[in-house]
Amino acid sequence: HAKEQGRNRWSFYSHSLSKAATERLDLEHDLRAALTAQQFELYYQPKVAASDGRITGVEALIRWNRPDHGLIPPDRFIPLAEQLGLIVEMGDWVIEQACRQMAAWASEGMLVSIAVNLSPAQLSHPSLIDRVATLIKAYSIRPGMLHMEVTESMMLNDPEEAIKHLQALRDLGVTLSIDDFGTGYSSMAYLKRLPVNKIKLDRSFIQQIASDPREADLCAGIIALAHKLGLGVVAEGVETQEQQQILTGMECDVFQGYLFSKPMQVAAATEYLSAPRGAAIS
Ligand code: C2E
Ligand code: MG
Ligand code: MG
Ligand code: MG
């Protein structure tokens, strides 16, 4: 009797284990097929100049239209794509798609920069520089209009190597930003050595500047330091007018956040970009 119970228990655990494992295998399988099946889509979120409310560019943010699962946000598949070694190919699609879109907008008279996010494995991939050079040429992109966002985690393995790759991108004329600035490990120590143009202040700072004076002081200090180093500052995740006002007082250069717009599909983004900028923005 006890033996039978034991066996049942075993089959219960074995069943639930295999369900989780099956889901994971399905996810892997679907993710591997997603690129060929053209299930990825870029959404675009505008960035707005603090000085006059004009749009300085957009950030391209990937989404996955997974059949029977709906729209999957990047936090739920980028880490897996990195683990599975799919990120380089996926990231390459993102860069080309962004270049293609920039060219399409330019042909309609809209000169908009597009920022793409780079995973560490992309930055250190030996063919990145040639590939970016080729795409810039093929789509007649002004190099400075292509922005690339990297996080401080790229510095963890081999900082000298990372700096070398950043410099090679700078030499192509690409605009570089440190994303999620302030959440990483090495912020201040490396900042003056990194060949980048901007920092993007992480949303976690912005969330607290209206309620926590010490967080606000920290933010103001980082902005002043960045400016001393000749770097522009973008605030991520600006959601309220109060945050916008405080950041304007701190001389933050550019805002990005739901206060202005959520990330949009290309049609809505095109409409947004071509609308006359009136009271809604400034
Ligand atoms: P990120 O690069 O820091 O992008 C900003 C994220 O904050 C986006 O989330 C955006 O939708 C969200 N956001 C913007 N404004 C607000 C706001 O006012 N409030 C709130 N609550 N959120 C806001 P998303 O699109 O889910 O992307 C998450 C992360 O996934 C990105 O963070 C980036 O690290 C990564 N990611 C997205 N696309 C790509 C890609 O093509 N390649 C790689 N390697 N990573 C990507
Ligand atoms: Mg980003
Ligand atoms: Mg960010
Ligand atoms: Mg982030």
Side-chain angles (χ1 to χ4, degrees):
H1 200 70
K3 207 174 177 184
E4 211 166 278
Q5 259 184 359
R7 192 184 313 129
N8 285 340
R9 204 179 304 137
W10 165 249
S11 72
F12 171 76
Y13 284 123
S14 143
H15 175 73
S16 61
L17 255 186
S18 76
K19 187 168 178 246
T22 305
E23 274 173 14
R24 158 86 188 200
L25 281 175
D26 282 349
L27 180 66
E28 279 190 30
H29 172 269
D30 288 2
L31 190 58
R32 286 183 199 280
L35 199 60
T36 318
Q38 296 183 290
Q39 291 163 0
F40 293 119
E41 182 176 357
L42 293 184
Y43 277 52
Y44 299 94
Q45 186 179 36
K47 290 179 287 178
V48 174
S51 56
D52 59 7
R54 281 200 310 202
I55 295 163
T56 65
V58 298
E59 177 172 6
L61 296 154
I62 197 169
R63 306 284 183 263
W64 176 19
N65 294 296
R66 187 181 179 200
D68 304 325
H69 289 81
L71 199 64
I72 314 288
D75 291 336
R76 299 239 312 270
F77 65 89
I78 293 283
L80 182 61
E82 289 175 335
Q83 277 173 41
L84 297 176
L86 302 171
I87 195 68
V88 170
E89 212 184 331
M90 183 186 299
D92 184 75
W93 177 84
V94 171
I95 301 169
E96 175 153 26
Q97 186 64 22
C99 288
R100 192 182 291 143
Q101 189 58 54
M102 238 189 296
W105 277 333
S107 77
E108 295 172 50
M110 291 180 275
L111 286 180
V112 212
S113 69
I114 300 188
V116 297
N117 293 281
L118 281 194
S119 287
Q122 287 178 270
L123 184 67
S124 58
H125 196 272
S127 63
L128 178 74
I129 305 302
D130 282 349
R131 179 67 175 144
V132 172
T134 301
L135 289 172
I136 284 171
K137 249 202 182 148
Y139 291 97
S140 308
I141 305 285
R142 258 174 48 200
M145 306 271 291
L146 178 61
H147 293 216
M148 295 187 145
E149 302 187 357
V150 293
T151 59
E152 291 158 289
S153 63
M154 69 176 170
M155 302 289 284
L156 288 179
N157 255 339
D158 187 344
E160 298 310 320
E161 195 69 8
I163 291 171
K164 219 177 69 190
H165 294 126
L166 292 176
Q167 187 59 55
L169 287 171
R170 284 295 302 133
D171 292 344
L172 290 181
V174 171
T175 302
L176 297 179
S177 307
I178 305 291
D179 205 351
D180 306 337
F181 186 82
T183 58
Y185 172 68
S186 56
S187 326
M188 298 300 167
Y190 281 108
L191 191 52
K192 65 174 190 299
R193 299 195 46 216
L194 294 179
V196 300
N197 307 87
K198 300 161 194 288
I199 61 167
K200 299 189 76 175
L201 268 179
D202 192 67
R203 179 161 62 90
S204 58
F205 288 111
I206 311 307
Q207 270 174 332
Q208 300 184 62
I209 51 172
S211 56
D212 183 344
R214 297 203 313 176
E215 204 72 12
D217 282 348
L218 184 58
C219 224
I222 294 174
I223 293 171
L225 177 75
H227 285 160
K228 278 224 168 74
L229 295 170
L231 305 174
V233 180
V234 182
E236 296 190 307
V238 180
E239 294 183 350
T240 69
Q241 264 165 2
E242 192 181 11
Q243 291 167 347
Q244 180 188 4
Q245 272 155 18
I246 295 170
L247 287 161
T248 302
M250 294 174 179
E251 295 181 28
C252 180
D253 306 294
V254 175
F255 305 129
Q256 181 179 349
Y258 294 173
L259 177 61
F260 305 96
S261 171
K262 291 197 168 180
M264 293 170 277
Q265 286 180 292
V266 66
T270 304
E271 199 171 313
Y272 190 97
L273 290 168
S274 54
R277 295 266 80 80
I281 292 288
S282 50

